Amino acid sequence: MPLLAKLLVQRIALGLLLLFLVSILIFVGTIVLPGDVAQSILGQSATPEALANLRAELGVNDPPVARYFAWLGGVLTGDLGTALTSGLDIAESLASRLRNTLFLAFWAAVIAVPLAIFLGLLAVRYRERWPDKLISAVTLASISVPEFLIGYVLMFFVGVKLGLFPSTAVSFRADASLDDKLESIALPIAVLTLVVLAHMMRMTRAAILNVMQSAYIETAELKGLRMFTIIRKHALPNSIAPIVNVVMLNLAYLVVGVVVVEVVFVYPGMGQYLVDHVSKRDVPVVQACGMVFATVYIGLNMVADIVSILANPRLRHPK
Amino acid sequence: MKNITFAAGIGLFFTSLYFLMAILAPLIAPYGMAEVVGGVWEPPSPEHLMGTDNIGRDLLTRMIYGGRTTIFIATAATILSFTTGTVFGLLAAVMGGWVDQLMSRFVDLLMSIPSLIFALVVLSVMPVTIPVLIVVMGLLDSTRVYRLARAVAVDINVMDFVEAARLRGEGRVWIIFREILPNALSPLVAEMGLRFIFAVLFVSTLSFLGLGVQPPAADWGGIVKENSDGIVYGIGAALWPAVAIATLAISVNLVADWVLNRTTSLKGGRG
């Protein structure tokens, strides 16, 4: 087998192994920990009979290993079970919410990625001068504030004081026209963009600066090329791999940001679904959501590694 | 404390201010923590410098007590994550072999899920109390400290003075705590600031989601949650914690930067 194919197969196998282990971790995290699920659902005043009934229904009396494999079999065949609190099929409710979440994350990425790369290039071009310092200061500030507060600050000033966009996403309907949908989620998109922009921009800047210190850049400088030409023709092609890596890692980061932002703007996505059911202690839903989030996260990290394997000739011919 | 820079001085000043406020909260707060003293969402006035909250409690009082809770939880979680992370990281570096492999792969596994998602999964079955929060946050965050401590210690482990200590027959505990730890301390201390900020953001996020500090106890994330309904009516009470968290995080950052620069210049490096 060619070396490149072997590396790729190895990386994909590692991803699948990781996913399997994560499923164990999520299952063990909700089952073996000392908390009594039945007691938490019914509260302190529950009668012993009610507790025993609920325990039997949850299958808490079966051996954990058997329950794990029954659950895993269900997950693999798309049967996520039913929610304890509402009795609805989890896979069904999850599918529409996952679509909404991906819609939100997609548009945030469409805006954030080009903007971050452009600002990163700008910061390198004017390194140590005021545009670079301004960008650094703004990103430091946005890293220092949690996502939900950026959300409320925007909601307060842009949504309520200026009245430019709807301040919550309650008007969002999945069957509305694209324009209406985008208008109702303009603010959540802005928040998510701000959240990932800072990280992505800093990492792009670092990746390009790293390349800028190589000898061939110095040669290009000495032969009198203009700064932007050097960046565009020499630095950028060599920093594609690290930049794609940065982008993927930040899209993975978006997955977490989405949870909080959805709660802030009352957007009917996965994150809100997860948080709701954590407070209701609906364990099957939490497990299912946890698995979906983990899968997306691990998948994006895997894509990042695969791209850097494909883009880096040195990885193709390791010594 | 010599040669402190201007930025670090400001950072240090505000950081100590916040910690003092947290420690002295019952003495400096103008009202009781859960005491209803006025109408709902009154604007700032001489009696209530920040106005009142969603059920008429003094907002400044809530902010001071909230800072106490948030800073206490974040500090405790940071201490926990540092002790576990450092001890296991140094142990992995010194022992090497399968012990190192086992612990490092387990940490890789834990870090392959976003910590917020894992925390939510765990908190769905655990009772949400302050000790549980501290343990969950501290252990999840210790994975990052573990990686740093291990990476630093692996370098130090092969140095001559460690070899000399081994040859004169010192035990593993001596090697870890007397030879390696003092030399690995500076990068770890700089990292501590970042972990502390991360813990502040993390506990605020959990409380905001309703899964952290439970009412009537105050904390910065919880204050946002309680007052968030006012935002759509143009009442900015929920934004005060943003100011508090941002200033605290930036001040701690400035101090951590200074510590890091100072320690790298000691080694003659260029940052």
Side-chain angles (χ1 to χ4, degrees):
Chain A
M1 195 165 21
L3 196 57
L4 185 61
K6 199 177 148 201
L7 275 177
L8 290 182
V9 169
Q10 269 177 0
R11 185 60 190 84
I12 293 171
L14 180 68
L16 291 177
L17 177 69
L18 211 51
L19 212 51
F20 173 66
L21 293 175
V22 163
S23 75
I24 297 182
L25 201 61
I26 287 182
F27 195 80
V28 170
T30 50
I31 300 300
V32 181
L33 284 175
D36 181 351
V37 186
Q39 187 91 58
S40 338
I41 294 172
L42 295 176
Q44 290 297 333
S45 54
T47 59
E49 292 80 22
L51 284 177
N53 277 339
L54 186 63
R55 283 200 194 105
E57 200 181 314
L58 294 170
V60 181
N61 302 325
D62 300 338
V65 180
R67 282 162 60 211
Y68 169 71
F69 280 105
W71 176 71
L72 186 68
V75 170
L76 290 177
T77 53
D79 172 22
L80 297 171
T82 50
L84 296 177
T85 40
S86 59
L88 294 173
D89 186 51
I90 297 177
E92 218 168 278
S93 342
L94 210 58
S96 70
R97 284 168 174 273
L98 182 60
R99 245 197 320 276
N100 288 347
T101 293
L102 291 179
F103 181 75
L104 178 61
F106 169 78
W107 283 103
V110 163
I111 295 174
V113 171
L115 196 61
I117 293 176
F118 172 72
L119 286 178
L121 288 174
L122 206 67
V124 173
R125 169 68 184 82
Y126 296 102
R127 178 157 42 119
E128 303 297 328
R129 288 176 29 209
W130 70 265
D132 184 26
K133 287 191 173 145
L134 180 71
I135 292 173
S136 297
V138 172
T139 52
L140 176 66
S142 82
I143 289 173
S144 307
V145 184
E147 294 94 347
F148 65 93
L149 276 171
I150 300 183
Y152 280 120
V153 170
L154 280 191
M155 193 193 274
F156 186 71
F157 289 107
V158 181
V160 179
K161 292 285 173 193
L162 298 177
L164 290 180
F165 294 104
S167 37
T168 63
V170 281
S171 63
F172 181 86
R173 296 283 172 276
D175 47 3
S177 73
L178 187 62
D179 273 3
D180 289 350
K181 280 208 278 193
L182 284 183
E183 203 200 342
S184 59
I185 60 168
L187 283 183
I189 291 178
V191 176
L192 284 174
T193 306
L194 279 177
V195 169
V196 289
L197 194 64
H199 285 100
M200 210 166 359
M201 209 227 61
R202 280 167 92 105
M203 284 155 89
T204 311
R205 179 178 176 273
I208 296 182
L209 277 182
N210 197 17
V211 175
M212 294 296 275
Q213 278 151 7
S214 6
Y216 58 83
I217 298 288
E218 205 176 342
T219 312
E221 248 169 59
L222 290 176
K223 83 190 176 187
L225 289 185
R226 283 182 42 234
M227 197 59 175
F228 251 119
T229 324
I230 297 177
I231 291 181
R232 190 169 49 85
K233 297 193 87 167
H234 296 270
L236 197 56
N238 284 296
S239 40
I240 287 283
I243 289 179
V244 169
N245 221 321
V246 168
V247 168
M248 285 300 159
L249 292 181
N250 279 287
L251 293 187
Y253 188 80
L254 206 62
V255 172
V256 188
V258 133
V259 173
V260 180
V261 171
E262 280 176 5
V263 175
V264 171
F265 289 97
V266 205
Y267 180 77
M270 287 266 306
Q272 211 197 24
Y273 190 59
L274 171 62
V275 171
D276 271 359
H277 287 82
V278 171
S279 22
K280 290 179 194 158
R281 304 192 171 277
D282 195 331
V283 176
V285 178
V286 175
Q287 285 170 337
C289 289
M291 268 321 282
V292 173
F293 276 118
T295 310
V296 175
Y297 196 77
I298 291 174
L300 285 170
N301 275 303
M302 195 170 78
V303 173
D305 282 359
I306 289 177
V307 169
S308 44
I309 291 173
L310 288 177
N312 188 348
R314 272 160 297 189
L315 276 177
R316 273 180 253 157
H317 307 285
K319 282 173 196 140
Chain B
M1 290 307 281
K2 269 183 290 179
N3 302 331
I4 188 160
T5 61
F6 179 64
I10 293 183
L12 209 54
F13 174 73
F14 277 102
T15 310
S16 357
L17 196 68
Y18 272 112
F19 272 86
L20 269 181
M21 190 195 76
I23 295 165
L24 302 177
L27 298 179
I28 51 176
Y31 299 93
M33 182 191 67
E35 192 186 342
V36 177
V37 290
V40 172
W41 282 320
E42 276 177 21
S45 62
E47 291 83 48
H48 308 291
L49 291 176
M50 289 183 180
T52 58
D53 76 351
N54 63 326
I55 56 171
R57 292 168 295 195
D58 181 56
L59 200 56
L60 179 64
T61 310
R62 296 288 289 171
M63 285 296 297
I64 292 174
Y65 276 102
R68 182 186 172 96
T69 321
T70 305
I71 289 175
F72 168 70
I73 294 179
T75 310
T78 312
I79 292 172
L80 178 65
S81 75
F82 258 79
T83 5
T84 25
T86 311
V87 167
F88 283 107
L90 297 188
L91 202 62
V94 173
M95 303 266 284
W98 66 270
V99 180
D100 180 22
Q101 279 296 320
L102 194 71
M103 288 202 282
S104 297
R105 294 299 80 78
F106 182 68
V107 165
D108 286 351
L109 176 64
L110 275 182
M111 289 179 79
S112 72
I113 330 176
S115 34
L116 179 64
I117 303 291
F118 195 62
L120 289 180
V121 168
V122 171
L123 288 177
S124 72
V125 286
M126 301 281 279
V128 183
T129 58
I130 288 180
V132 169
L133 277 179
I134 293 174
V135 170
V136 169
M137 283 172 42
L139 290 186
L140 281 178
D141 217 29
S142 66
T143 54
R144 284 157 214 281
V145 183
Y146 168 87
R147 279 203 177 166
L148 179 72
R150 185 185 163 278
V152 175
V154 162
D155 284 347
I156 300 175
N157 194 30
V158 293
M159 287 184 180
D160 291 341
F161 61 87
V162 181
E163 199 57 33
R166 272 211 188 90
L167 288 176
R168 63 173 192 260
E170 302 289 2
R172 205 165 263 145
V173 175
W174 176 283
I175 302 267
I176 290 178
F177 289 105
R178 300 300 295 272
E179 305 290 336
I180 296 185
L181 185 62
N183 292 290
L185 215 51
S186 1
L188 284 173
V189 168
E191 175 75 6
M192 200 167 201
L194 300 183
R195 305 300 0 138
F196 174 75
I197 296 169
F198 186 79
V200 169
L201 299 187
F202 202 52
V203 70
S204 308
T205 303
L206 284 177
S207 296
F208 166 70
L209 295 175
L211 302 162
V213 179
Q214 298 299 314
D219 90 303
W220 286 341
I223 293 174
V224 178
K225 182 185 166 68
E226 288 160 10
N227 295 297
S228 61
D229 290 338
I231 292 278
V232 284
Y233 306 114
I235 295 156
L239 301 183
W240 284 108
V243 181
I245 294 176
T247 44
L248 177 62
I250 291 172
S251 328
V252 175
N253 243 324
L254 291 175
V255 178
D257 269 0
W258 171 65
V259 172
L260 194 66
N261 282 332
R262 198 171 141 268
T263 50
T264 43
S265 68
L266 279 181
K267 287 183 205 143
R270 288 205 300 152

